[in-house]
Amino acid sequence: WGKPSDKIEEGILGNKRILLLRRHGKQFKFPPHLINYRANIAALRELGASAIIATAAVGGIAAEVGKIVLPDQIIDYTYGRESTFFEGGDTPLKHIDFSYPYDKRIREKIISAATAKSIILIESGTYGATQGPRLETAAEIQKLRKDGCHIVGMTGMPEACLAKEMEIPYATMAIVVNPAAGLCEGEILLSDMEKILSQGYEICMDILKTVEL
Ligand code: HPA
């Protein structure tokens, strides 16, 4: 499936062996629409990942900036991405059941770890996965809101369904780094998102230290 986005680092976090892969690569080499999602998921599986917990920056549609959301549903608005390992030929096709894209058990483990540390998470929500790399129009966000999306991001798909095809339980901790388009005054600036993202990431890591898988 080609090369993953970056070298995969191996280490210990809390009492777990972890593998860390930056999906955008070093210096943000791969924008969301050019990430080799298949190579990333296949590499994690080859290295023996028994679960994947993704972190992701998202815009808030019905979630405040600074909050961490644990989505339980996803709507896919992306296009033109390689979104399956099934390529025809001799590989027998499997239509995976994708009714519940995020793994319930892993989500519950994350919630328990956060609760034990008195960290408040938004425990459910629908992630709208958009194509990017541009942000959305205000009208697109209104459409997503009507569709039932609470947060919007660009990397949720096809990552979630590829993990499901590989039978790796998958969950996402989504850090709300900006109000989605049209829901704030003024322009959405990357520079405003960065500080919130790094604070959110530290909180996610703190939770992950004690998640018992
Ligand atoms: N839209 C899509 N993806 C994002 C956003 C957003 O507002 N913020 C961070 N990732």
Side-chain angles (χ1 to χ4, degrees), residues 57-59 130 135-136 152-154 177-178:
V58 295
T130 54
L135 294 167
E136 299 69 35
V152 56
M154 300 175 192
V177 295
N178 60 283

Side-chain angles (χ1 to χ4, degrees), residues 3-22:
K3 271 193 171 177
S5 304
D6 198 359
K7 278 201 186 124
I8 299 179
E9 292 174 41
E10 189 177 352
I12 302 289
L13 187 68
N15 59 359
K16 294 174 296 295
R17 186 174 80 96
I18 65 148
L19 302 163
L20 179 72
L21 172 57
R22 291 170 183 81

Side-chain angles (χ1 to χ4, degrees), residues 17-35:
R17 186 174 80 96
I18 65 148
L19 302 163
L20 179 72
L21 172 57
R22 291 170 183 81
R23 66 159 86 71
H24 293 286
K26 289 211 174 72
Q27 270 107 44
F28 223 82
K29 195 164 146 201
F30 301 106
H33 62 299
L34 295 179
I35 292 170

Side-chain angles (χ1 to χ4, degrees), residues 19-65:
L19 302 163
L20 179 72
L21 172 57
R22 291 170 183 81
R23 66 159 86 71
H24 293 286
K26 289 211 174 72
Q27 270 107 44
F28 223 82
K29 195 164 146 201
F30 301 106
H33 62 299
L34 295 179
I35 292 170
N36 189 341
Y37 293 96
R38 293 195 296 190
N40 287 351
I41 298 292
L44 290 172
R45 181 171 139 127
E46 212 171 294
L47 292 171
S50 56
I52 296 176
I53 300 178
T55 55
V58 295
I61 300 175
E64 259 173 62
V65 171

Side-chain angles (χ1 to χ4, degrees), residues 15-196:
N15 59 359
K16 294 174 296 295
R17 186 174 80 96
I18 65 148
L19 302 163
L20 179 72
L21 172 57
R22 291 170 183 81
R23 66 159 86 71
H24 293 286
K26 289 211 174 72
Q27 270 107 44
F28 223 82
K29 195 164 146 201
F30 301 106
H33 62 299
L34 295 179
I35 292 170
N36 189 341
Y37 293 96
R38 293 195 296 190
N40 287 351
I41 298 292
L44 290 172
R45 181 171 139 127
E46 212 171 294
L47 292 171
S50 56
I52 296 176
I53 300 178
T55 55
V58 295
I61 300 175
E64 259 173 62
V65 171
K67 292 269 161 40
I68 296 171
V69 183
L70 213 53
D72 60 342
Q73 276 298 328
I74 197 160
I75 301 180
D76 187 11
Y77 302 95
T78 67
Y79 47 86
R81 300 184 181 188
E82 305 285 5
S83 58
T84 178
F85 289 107
F86 297 107
E87 294 265 275
D90 294 334
T91 327
L93 172 65
K94 202 168 85 185
H95 293 284
I96 53 156
D97 179 343
F98 201 46
S99 313
Y100 301 99
Y102 298 102
D103 188 82
K104 187 164 178 272
R105 192 183 72 89
I106 305 285
R107 292 179 57 259
E108 282 169 0
K109 296 278 181 189
I110 295 170
I111 293 167
S112 306
T115 307
K117 287 179 175 271
S118 305
I119 298 171
I120 296 164
L121 296 176
I122 301 180
E123 296 180 8
S124 64
T126 298
Y127 178 120
T130 54
Q131 176 68 3
R134 67 166 177 83
L135 294 167
E136 299 69 35
T137 66
E140 284 168 340
I141 291 301
Q142 287 312 311
K143 173 186 151 57
L144 263 65
R145 184 202 283 278
K146 281 190 199 130
D147 284 355
C149 298
H150 301 95
I151 51 176
V152 56
M154 300 175 192
T155 56
M157 285 295 282
E159 203 171 78
C161 65
L162 291 169
K164 194 91 166 186
E165 281 189 0
M166 286 275 176
E167 298 179 0
I168 309 174
Y170 175 89
T172 292
M173 302 175 85
I175 304 157
V176 182
V177 295
N178 60 283
L183 301 180
C184 60
E185 309 250 318
E187 231 180 288
I188 300 171
L189 297 172
L190 192 66
S191 51
D192 293 340
M193 300 181 190
E194 276 162 0
K195 191 164 164 232
I196 298 162

